[in-house]
Amino acid sequence: MDLDDLIPDSEDETKTVADKDRNSACDSKSLEHSMETFHSFLRSDKCRSILALVGAGLSASSNLPTFRGAGGYWRNYSPIDLATPDAFYSDPGLVWQFYAYRRHMALQAEPNSGHRALARLSQVHTVDFMTITQNVDDLSQKAGHDLQKLLEFHGSLFELRCTEFSCSYKSRNFDDPLTSALDVTKFDRDLPHLDPSQLPRCPQCGGLLRPGVVWFGESLPLQPVDRADEFIVRNGVDLILVIGTSCSVWPAASYVDIAKNQGGKVAIFNTEVDSELNDWQFIGDCAKTLPEALEMEPI
Ligand code: BV8
Ligand code: ZN
């Protein structure tokens, strides 16, 4: 059986499966009520396999701006405009200044209690658990998340890759600054135009290095996607935790429907209300709601 077998072919089949005995928190009178029903589901033997889909909202309380929130802009640039191969090849200096800033911010940031709650869940062995993270800030790793249960779908700010076609150099690198021209503490109000010679170079071939993140228009890395699909085919998904994500970036966002389409329950942890009918919605800072939802005797 592979992943396609799990996705029903008809819309109404999805509807029926998804709507069956739904306990929507939209109707719930209070957070306490949905927290109570959430905890009883979490403790039941119906909840044996949990998938988490994590986005930038999980790191908001660690003072890292989200992509689409107010703080998401950098020097009047939207991250979406800079997180593309075209942007990099037309002005590698500007894109490297953007990533140098984000590396610097992420290195200053500490994991919050939302990261730590997920890390604790990853250490529990009574449920099958996997986290798909869209985040590139390394905060889940810093929080002690079991790395075997953490899939970086969009790469990492702290991975460097050579841009030379024939060179396979890549490395994990936490240096700040990477070069003197990328010293964020010395950035002026007006960013200087950087020459490629001032940017990180490959120690193997001298080529230009790039941030090891997945840009828009680039394919996701095969290994984490394969591991996510293997997890789902092997265990199914009884519950998907959708944490701090606008679900606006694909194909990561598709995992909510994949979970729903096989009868998995959906718990949203977001500051905004989701118009979709979900089983639970915990509105608020996920650094608070997630530990409360997951902070229980070992399950
Ligand atoms: C690809 C790394 C295929 C870089 C990122 C359909 C299918 C396939 C692709 C597409 C498709 N439709 C469109 C596409 C193209 C594109 C895409 O999805 N575009 C979007 C804009 C429509 N997808 C791609 O290009 C992907 N590649 O599909 O390849 C292909 C390729 C070639 C040829 C053929 C096919 C690659 C996408 C990866 C892009 N890289 N990051 C970097 O970081 O610089 S994505 C980027 O956005 C981040 O990873 C981020 O995590 C992600 C998603 O955003 P969110 O995490 O959700 O953050 P956002 O700000 O949007 O929302 C935050 C949420 O948190 C909000 O809901 C907010 O309310 C909430 N919140 C805020 N504070 C809190 C909170 N919640 C709780 N508590 C709080 N305190
Ligand atoms: Zn190289």
Side-chain angles (χ1 to χ4, degrees):
M1 176 175 72
D2 65 25
L3 200 58
D4 294 345
D5 302 337
L6 298 175
I7 298 171
D9 36 18
S10 74
E11 190 52 29
D12 34 293
E13 203 180 316
T14 311
K15 202 121 181 55
T16 333
V17 165
D19 284 355
K20 159 162 95 358
D21 68 19
R22 184 174 291 288
N23 163 32
S24 153
C26 298
D27 319 325
S28 74
K29 303 273 174 297
S30 70
L31 183 64
E32 288 64 47
H33 167 72
S34 49
M35 203 52 97
E36 195 188 308
T37 57
F38 181 78
H39 281 158
S40 55
F41 177 71
L42 206 56
R43 283 196 177 92
S44 73
D45 55 10
K46 285 190 209 148
C47 185
R48 287 289 126 242
S49 171
I50 303 174
L51 182 65
L53 176 67
V54 161
L58 178 62
S59 299
S61 274
S62 298
N63 299 320
L64 294 184
T66 61
F67 261 67
R68 290 163 186 79
Y73 275 70
W74 174 74
R75 307 271 186 141
N76 299 326
Y77 293 99
S78 150
I80 308 253
D81 302 333
L82 295 175
T84 69
D86 290 351
F88 183 74
Y89 289 109
S90 58
D91 189 345
L94 174 64
V95 174
W96 258 120
Q97 286 164 320
F98 172 53
Y99 282 96
Y101 168 73
R102 288 178 60 199
R103 286 168 59 99
H104 184 77
M105 292 287 285
L107 287 168
Q108 314 292 316
E110 286 303 322
N112 59 54
S113 41
H115 295 104
R116 286 194 295 274
L118 280 181
R120 258 198 304 287
L121 183 58
S122 77
Q123 310 297 346
V124 165
H125 298 292
T126 45
V127 285
D128 297 310
F129 177 62
M130 189 64 79
T131 292
I132 293 173
T133 184
Q134 300 171 93
N135 295 344
V136 295
D137 55 33
D138 207 60
L139 288 184
S140 285
Q141 292 86 335
K142 257 186 189 171
H145 196 296
D146 180 342
L147 300 183
Q148 291 309 308
K149 300 179 183 178
L150 181 64
L151 303 174
E152 286 183 315
F153 261 37
H154 295 161
S156 170
L157 289 170
F158 303 103
E159 186 175 291
L160 300 178
R161 288 210 309 267
C162 184
T163 58
E164 288 303 314
F165 184 72
S166 56
C167 179
S168 60
Y169 175 83
K170 72 177 182 176
S171 68
R172 291 295 268 189
N173 179 308
F174 294 85
D175 294 347
D176 182 27
L178 282 168
T179 69
S180 54
L182 292 176
D183 183 344
V184 179
T185 60
K186 297 204 176 65
F187 278 7
D188 287 334
R189 206 177 60 78
D190 300 328
L191 290 171
H193 179 77
L194 296 183
D195 181 82
S197 62
Q198 297 174 280
L199 301 178
R201 309 303 301 193
C202 175
Q204 264 172 214
C205 75
L208 179 60
L209 293 180
R210 58 162 284 178
V213 296
V214 179
W215 282 326
F216 288 99
E218 292 187 318
S219 302
L220 270 58
L222 286 178
Q223 200 249 8
V225 175
D226 287 349
R227 288 204 36 225
D229 296 350
E230 280 156 22
F231 173 87
I232 295 169
V233 170
R234 185 174 350 106
N235 305 301
V237 180
D238 299 323
L239 171 66
I240 182 165
L241 309 172
V242 185
I243 304 160
T245 181
S246 58
C247 290
S248 56
V249 171
W250 300 84
S254 61
Y255 284 81
V256 182
D257 280 343
I258 290 172
K260 262 188 202 168
N261 291 342
Q262 44 176 299
K265 292 199 178 288
V266 181
I268 305 281
F269 295 82
N270 203 302
T271 39
E272 287 165 16
V273 178
D274 183 330
S275 52
E276 283 270 298
L277 199 57
N278 295 298
D279 294 280
W280 293 277
Q281 287 206 40
F282 298 112
I283 310 297
D285 178 0
C286 57
K288 291 191 182 64
T289 56
L290 194 58
E292 192 181 334
L294 298 180
E295 199 63 317
M296 305 159 48
E297 291 73 59
I299 25 180

